[in-house]
Amino acid sequence: MLACLYGLTLAGCKREERDFHGDAASADTTASVQLTELVPGLPPSIEPSASAAGPVRADFEKVAFHLSEGQRLYEQFNCVGCHANGGGDIGPPLMDDVWLYGASPEQIYASLAQGRPNGMPAYGRKLSRQQTWQLVAYVRSMSGLTPKDAAPARNDFTQSVPPPNSTPATNPVSGPNPSPTAEHGSR
Amino acid sequence: MATWVLLVLTCVPAAFAQSGPVQKNWPMASGNYENSRYSALDQITSDNVKNLRVAWTFGTGVNRGHEEAPVVVGSTMYLVTPYPNFLYALDLSQSGAIKWKFEPKPLAAAQGEACCDYVNRGVAVADGRVFMNTLDGRTIALDADSGKLLWDRRLCDINVGETMTMAPLVIGDKVLVGNAGSQFGARGWIQALDAKSGTTAWKAFSTGSDADCLIGPSFKPYYAQDRGHDLGISTWPIDQWKIGGGTVWGWVSYDPDLDLLFYGTGDPASWNADVRPGDNKWCSGIFARRPSTGEAVWFYQYTAHDLYGHDGINESIVTDIELKPGEGKRKVLLHADRNGHLYVLDRQSGEVLSATPFVRVTATTGVDLKTGYLQFVADKKPQLGKTVRDIAPAAPGGKDWQPSAFSPRTGLMYLPHQTLSMDFEEAPVNYIAGTPYIGAHAKFYADPVDPGDGSRGRFTAWDPAAQKAAWTIKERFPVWCGTVVTAGDVVFYGTMDRWFKAVDAKTGRELWKFQVDSGIVSQPITYLAPDGKQYVAVVAGVGGWPGKIVSNDLKPEDPGSAHGFGNAMKDLPNYTAKGGTLYVFCLQ
């Protein structure tokens, strides 16, 4: 019983951990591998900058602060315009179990930083590493892949899906590429 | 058995004589300059249309929303697909055998910049050349016979959200094309390219200075609020016009007698209207211009300070009709706007002769004919942090891009459209080039009052002189498909639940229907093939804004998917899967 309580307290502490000193908006090596011509908010002439790769911050998703920051960034960086509240729009749904480019935190990090060929912009030079990990955590919470105790309990807008902490957990599977002619890729 | 199949597929010669010279071809997406989609062909009539059978089919190899019209000149049909924008030349003397295929290989990334599925609305053919637009914003000219590339010009930058989905129109030696991307804050323009070389003859923006908008001494708008200096700047907060939308992604029509071309401009960006106080010129309106120079002659704004994403890009049909008995015919434009009003405009002056709601409208109380202004309802004004409910018509409007037709024989306009209302909540908006610039959360649903039975679509015959519907047919889903009306008094249209229908142009009585492989969101056409018989063609392949729930596998659990359209289309996957097939019909 005591051990159980102790465990809960520990988990609770982790959940409230905050990291206010994330790195500045610049990129790491993953971002220099760019898979798309779409670079949001920057003129296309600027080449991606390379710097040391950041640590794998999968542990971000155990922290409520990072998850709610991710939720805010998801709206502010216009992810919502292309993926809706996870149900998909221009881009594929993010609330389901199908992943084109992988569901692990590292794979999602790469999707965000590098962009993906069929229309996912490369955010590597727009988002800091911290912001990117926060977004990764929030994206995973949309399909129930993050701990329930840390996932956001409410959404910021009325027209939405049930909040991530009541999203049933899914079993990620890799899906087909939706493009009819993936062989073209980018030029 | 083989003989039997042959017999079925071979069409019997028509027993009906053609009266007068008729246009055999369908050389542009809209059929003709008037955009009337009226065909004088009369072999297929309301009496014999029940004998229509499939003559041949063709799989496009693409599974996304097919909004295109096939285009026919002589013995060739030109069919462009959604991204990756394959262009097929099909031999009509050999049941659609492939003559040649052209692959423009658009940038794959452009798929991310197309708000409403990566559609293409068709090509144009003139003087032995085919002109096509690609999703990544190029206009390409090919030799119509051989498919040889003549020129290829990049006109758009996908990194500011520009794409191209509209069908070009050729007037003389000029090819008119416009951009899409208002939902990304792309600044709208139309340009005229030299048909031979592809160089820009003129380019007119929809926002910015008079010089940029080609507004000069010939500009004589009918209403006072459209007169003044640089209104494309002063009706916006500082610099907002640079990301103000007003893209030209719809239809261009042309009156050779007046030598005026007409086109609508897209909605102002963003959907959160609080960031752009002012009339937001020259968005959500219509320009009349001279094709040779591009100079503006008049402008009318259907929706000043558009609050609901109600573009003005819907087609304007050029026709002369008698509005009041005994008054004689007037030169008008017929335009069913997204804002739910059917406009009859004087096409010489831009004066609104009438504006009548053709669907239930809660957002506005109509057009003040003295000032030309649409009157908004204060209660329905969107707000930050508050959900405003039952805004009708919803963002896609009483009718969207899906083009209507007009028959001079019946005097009726045939409107494929939808009956949707919406809940709308403004959100903070952040401009990041190349990403959606929306600032709103919306949820569309079947209009709860009219019709109130859950149906979301309609096919309406509208009498523009009497300003009322002659008849209307309810459909389960938005009728997101264009239409064609013929001298045989038959109207054709398709539905998202996979029916291709022929109805009586006078009465609306259903005469024939055929079930296709996937929902129809394209534009049916009719033409006379080299064998002297009348054919009807339509492409099936669900998609577009309402069809994206199927074509992009969206989740019905999210009411906000497809900018809110997903909510109204949750049951579409029960009726159709993805597809991409051309069907060609003729009389048996």
Side-chain angles (χ1 to χ4, degrees), chain B residues 346-370:
Chain B
D346 180 322
R347 70 173 178 274
Q348 303 186 78
S349 67
E351 180 190 1
V352 179
L353 302 175
S354 66
T356 319
F358 62 95
V359 288
R360 173 171 170 260
V361 178
T362 65
T364 59
T365 54
V367 178
D368 177 343
L369 291 184
K370 274 203 215 72

Side-chain angles (χ1 to χ4, degrees), chain B residues 148 168 454 480 497:
Chain B
K148 191 170 87 62
W480 208 255
D497 53 1

